[in-house]
Amino acid sequence: MRHFAGGEVAPELLSKLLNAAHQAPSVGLMQPWRFVRITCPTRRQAIANLVGEERQRTAVALGERSAEFLRLKVEGIEDCAELLVAALMDGREGHLFGRRTLPEMDLASLACAIQNLWLAARAEGLGMGWVSLFDPLALAALLGMPEGAKPVAILCLGPVHEFYPAPMLALEGWTTPRLLHELVFENGWEVT
Amino acid sequence: MRHFAGGEVAPELLSKLLNAAHQAPSVGLMQPWRFVRITCPTRRQAIANLVGEERQRTAVALGERSAEFLRLKVEGIEDCAELLVAALMDGREGHLFGRRTLPEMDLASLACAIQNLWLAARAEGLGMGWVSLFDPLALAALLGMPEGAKPVAILCLGPVHEFYPAPMLALEGWTTPRLLHELVFENGWEVT
């Protein structure tokens, strides 16, 4: 997660970034994405608290790697310029195109939109982090989401002090990235 | 789905596109993506058959929109230059970082990788289509995937005759795209 430098994102730039997200392809053109921009400091703090709680629960669940996990910077909610929550819309069960056997394609579409936003942000010199350390039911309740809608990302966005030269979790030794050629097979699965 | 013009994708270019995919962010840096490049014509035909079957099943499930659906071009498996199957790796249950409450973040990461591939392909003048009309268990069996791995995309990639001026499903009247401002809320859900 980037070290955010506070500051702000100009409204026209934020609009441009969200437009990039909105250009994403989606299964059956269902455009399942919804974005909630958090401008209220009290609400931002409530989201930070939810993430803080899940961070502790994840640490417990990680067992022997708990202390190592707790040393990592896993969110920038309180210091990012813009905070967005990305959610899947309600009423998705009515969309069958491309989803009869793979209903999770709605999430895939939303992730494509978020990746567009991410690349556009980076192209504009901004950092972004996708936080998934939260209880989706609690966040949905906090933001008044209807039955069937589901938050899947807390997006921290804004100017950063610097960009990491490599993924933070690699730099910190959390894991070692795999090489591409190990993950590309021909005609069938290969054991690597 | 693009109308593919056959042809081929140079190996160095395909490698470059897969590298773009591999640069995607992933939850806990788990890099859950695996790509199976289909070069065997028999295997390609078997995949086309699987998709043909699911296309018919989806048509039935769509009821009154069945005929309308069957008129759409929903895949380019037999005429695209390169055919790739993107899958989630096996052994994902061992990755808890960012997934304790949202295990589907592995799919979100894979979708980010696919969107990178998509944008890189388009930047190189190639078209791509993401086909999700298939039974994942049948495709996993066809490609010899281990227990726990799951195919989520058949990617048709290559030169196209032309790019659509707007999403095909909008041009064909399947659905009307929503405007961005309808999908962005402030501090909480809004009914639009």
Side-chain angles (χ1 to χ4, degrees):
Chain A
M1 183 63 56
R2 309 303 165 202
H3 285 72
F4 289 97
E8 59 184 41
V9 178
E12 317 80 63
L13 179 53
L14 180 61
S15 177
K16 185 175 168 182
L17 300 180
L18 287 169
N19 254 302
H22 191 59
Q23 299 304 313
S26 62
V27 64
L29 198 52
M30 74 183 282
Q31 301 176 306
W33 45 79
R34 299 293 182 270
F35 295 97
V36 184
R37 182 180 176 219
I38 307 298
T39 57
C40 164
T42 309
R43 191 135 287 189
R44 185 190 281 237
Q45 187 57 51
I47 292 172
N49 294 347
L50 279 183
V51 169
E53 288 163 21
E54 177 52 33
R55 181 168 165 267
Q56 293 298 329
R57 287 194 205 101
T58 293
V60 170
L62 282 167
E64 62 182 21
R65 299 198 76 182
S66 171
E68 187 186 353
F69 171 74
L70 287 172
R71 280 193 298 270
L72 300 171
K73 176 164 172 59
V74 291
E75 52 87 11
I77 295 173
E78 288 172 80
D79 53 354
C80 62
E82 282 285 341
L83 188 67
L84 299 165
V85 173
L88 289 164
M89 69 182 190
D90 55 325
R92 287 169 284 132
E93 64 285 355
H95 294 258
L96 201 62
F97 190 124
R99 296 182 64 232
R100 200 189 73 87
T101 59
L102 290 162
E104 67 267 42
M105 287 300 103
D106 50 7
L107 172 64
S109 300
L110 174 49
C112 287
I114 292 175
Q115 182 62 2
N116 271 10
L117 175 57
W118 216 326
L119 293 171
R122 185 63 190 259
E124 297 285 352
L126 301 177
M128 197 175 95
W130 177 333
V131 179
S132 57
L133 286 160
F134 59 87
D135 173 354
L137 289 174
L139 184 53
L142 179 70
L143 300 181
M145 294 190 189
E147 176 94 21
K150 183 178 185 180
V152 296
I154 297 171
L155 302 174
C156 303
L157 174 71
V160 292
H161 289 299
E162 60 181 346
F163 287 99
Y164 294 109
M168 181 269 279
L169 292 180
L171 294 173
E172 296 285 351
W174 178 261
T175 190
T176 305
R178 303 283 301 266
L179 297 174
L180 174 61
H181 74 83
E182 301 175 85
L183 312 182
V184 179
F185 312 142
E186 189 165 344
N187 291 315
W189 205 262
E190 294 164 23
V191 178
T192 58
Chain B
M1 184 62 56
R2 309 303 165 202
H3 285 72
F4 289 97
E8 59 184 41
V9 178
E12 316 80 63
L13 178 53
L14 180 61
S15 177
K16 185 174 168 182
L17 300 180
L18 288 169
N19 255 302
H22 191 59
Q23 300 304 312
S26 62
V27 64
L29 197 51
M30 74 183 282
Q31 301 175 306
W33 45 78
R34 299 293 182 270
F35 295 96
V36 184
R37 183 180 175 217
I38 307 298
T39 57
C40 165
T42 309
R43 192 136 285 188
R44 186 190 282 236
Q45 188 56 54
I47 292 172
N49 294 347
L50 279 184
V51 170
E53 288 163 22
E54 177 52 33
R55 180 168 165 267
Q56 293 298 329
R57 287 194 206 101
T58 294
V60 170
L62 283 168
E64 62 182 21
R65 298 198 76 182
S66 171
E68 186 187 354
F69 170 74
L70 287 171
R71 280 195 297 272
L72 299 171
K73 176 163 172 59
V74 292
E75 53 87 11
I77 294 173
E78 288 172 81
D79 53 353
C80 63
E82 282 286 340
L83 188 66
L84 300 165
V85 174
L88 289 165
M89 69 183 190
D90 55 324
R92 287 169 285 131
E93 64 284 355
H95 295 258
L96 201 62
F97 190 125
R99 296 181 65 232
R100 200 189 72 88
T101 59
L102 290 162
E104 67 267 42
M105 286 302 102
D106 50 7
L107 172 64
S109 300
L110 174 48
C112 287
I114 292 175
Q115 181 63 2
N116 271 11
L117 176 56
W118 218 326
L119 293 171
R122 185 62 190 259
E124 297 285 352
L126 301 177
M128 197 176 96
W130 177 332
V131 179
S132 58
L133 287 160
F134 60 86
D135 172 353
L137 289 174
L139 184 53
L142 180 69
L143 300 182
M145 294 189 189
E147 176 95 21
K150 183 179 186 181
V152 296
I154 297 171
L155 302 174
C156 303
L157 174 71
V160 293
H161 289 299
E162 59 181 346
F163 288 100
Y164 295 109
M168 182 269 280
L169 292 180
L171 295 173
E172 296 285 351
W174 179 261
T175 190
T176 305
R178 303 285 300 266
L179 298 174
L180 173 62
H181 73 83
E182 302 176 83
L183 312 182
V184 179
F185 312 142
E186 190 165 344
N187 291 315
W189 205 261
E190 295 164 22
V191 178
T192 57

